Each structure stands twice: as C-alpha cells, then as structure tokens.
Amino acid sequence: MPDGILVTILVGLVVIVVSMVLHELMHAVTGYLLGDDTAKQQGRITLNPLAHIHPIYTVALPLVLLSLGGPAVGAARPVPFNPSRLRWGEYGMALVALAGPLTNLALAFVGSALFSLIAVNQFWADAMQLFISINVVFFVINMLPIPPLDGSRVLYVFMPDSVRDFMRFMEPFGLFVVFAIFIFGQQWLSPLLLGAIDLVLGILP
C-alpha cells in the first residue's frame, strides 16, 4: 500500500473516532440537560473514546471502507436514554437525536473555517478536507429517516401511529437498509454527499 494512502487511512481513522466520540457525547450531554441521567450513570458523558467506540463498527468497518476508497461509514455504541425522563416528552427525544448530527455539522463548519483561514502545508489541507468530508457524511447519513438513525427519531415525533408502528418494526433491520443503500444506491447518494461537502466548503470564504 502506498505511503500516501496509508497516511490518509490513519488520519481518516483518527477523524472518525474523534467525530463519533463528540457525536455520542453530545447525545449524552443533551439527554442529561433535559433531565435524564441514564447516560451519565453509564459513564457516557466523557471524552474517553473507549466509552463510546465499538471495535468493529467504529474502527474496523470504516477502516476497511476507507482502504477500498469508499465512504467512511460506521457506528459508535448508542447512547442510552430514558424517554420518560426527558423534559418535553417526544420533543425532548428529538432534541437528543438532533444533538449528534448537528455536532458533526458544526465540526464540518469549524473544519471549513480552519481550511479557509490557515494555510500550513498540503498535509494540513488534505487533513482538513478529510475532516470536513467525514463530518458531512456523518451528518447526512445520520439524518436519513431510517430507524435507528437519528433522523428517524426526529421524524417519529411528527408521524401518525401507523407510521410509528412501522418504524418500530423496521428498527431491527434499519442498519441493513443503510448498508444496502451504500451498496446499491451510490448513483444518487454520492451526488448528495458531494453536494453537501461542496456546500460546507463554499459557505466560508
């Protein structure tokens, strides 16, 4: 494997872990601020990666996909929460769900600002572009309205009972649907992801 590709994979893995840890941390912090200390009791309000990462879904799967030139798709350990303890009921649940993807979107904009304002060398530029790309991908994928992704938690609040029942039925199979989209839906997913990345890069001068 060429050294440049190896470096890209290693930088990508670091970005993935950092981005996923902050994503899950903000789920936990938001739940706690809304009155549910379930995540806090289980040690999830921490920057320690070991509390959040899953060895296969957070590390091995994205590493394999990056090495094959694919998108950095993966998952961390879900943050536990008790909906009945959250303020504002289902709207509180939606806020907890939104906290993770919005954190990735904010990180993408931070990366875009650093990319625009600081010019160190080509390695820095490549690392920032990878940082932006991975966080935009995390935001877009997590906002898909497919259980158990975060977007489905937001959609759930506004759906009638019949749709909610279907979403609950689909939840155990949701990750298989997501992977199927990545395998068979690249013709529409890739333009969506590339367009979102270009949008973030183009907002700041």
Side-chain angles (χ1 to χ4, degrees):
M1 181 180 296
D3 291 343
I5 296 176
L6 180 59
V7 170
T8 299
I9 291 173
L10 292 176
V11 171
L13 184 59
V14 171
V15 172
I16 287 167
V17 171
V18 170
S19 302
M20 283 191 177
V21 165
L22 292 174
H23 176 113
E24 299 302 330
L25 172 63
M26 290 311 299
H27 280 316
V29 168
T30 304
Y32 182 71
L33 292 176
L34 290 177
D36 178 23
D37 65 351
T38 303
K40 184 176 187 297
Q41 293 296 327
Q42 296 192 23
R44 298 301 297 274
I45 300 184
T46 177
L47 287 170
N48 181 0
L50 296 179
H52 301 287
I53 64 175
H54 187 285
I56 295 177
Y57 296 123
T58 312
V59 180
L61 178 61
L63 191 59
V64 169
L65 291 173
L66 278 172
S67 66
L68 295 175
V73 181
R77 291 174 53 214
V79 168
F81 69 97
N82 185 342
S84 65
R85 300 177 66 180
L86 292 171
R87 280 193 287 274
W88 307 322
E90 293 175 348
Y91 294 102
M93 183 178 71
L95 289 174
V96 172
L98 276 173
L102 290 181
T103 297
N104 292 123
L105 185 61
L107 289 172
F109 280 116
V110 169
S112 182
L114 293 174
F115 178 76
S116 301
L117 299 174
I118 302 174
V120 179
N121 52 37
Q122 190 59 46
F123 174 80
W124 167 265
D126 292 343
M128 283 297 99
Q129 286 187 311
L130 191 59
F131 182 85
I132 295 163
S133 299
I134 287 174
N135 275 286
V136 170
V137 168
F138 282 176
F139 169 76
V140 173
I141 297 305
N142 276 285
M143 287 306 296
L144 293 175
I146 303 171
L149 298 179
D150 295 321
S152 71
R153 310 294 188 196
V154 179
L155 184 66
Y156 184 90
V157 175
F158 305 100
M159 291 295 102
D161 288 341
S162 58
V163 177
R164 292 182 176 191
D165 290 341
F166 178 74
M167 293 173 72
R168 284 193 291 267
F169 169 78
M170 280 294 299
E171 184 152 351
F173 314 104
L175 288 180
F176 296 104
V177 174
V178 174
F179 289 132
I181 289 173
F182 272 95
I183 294 171
F184 303 109
Q186 286 295 322
Q187 69 274 12
W188 64 266
L189 185 61
S190 292
L192 173 64
L193 295 176
L194 290 173
I197 292 167
D198 289 341
L199 178 62
V200 171
L201 284 171
I203 285 179
L204 294 174

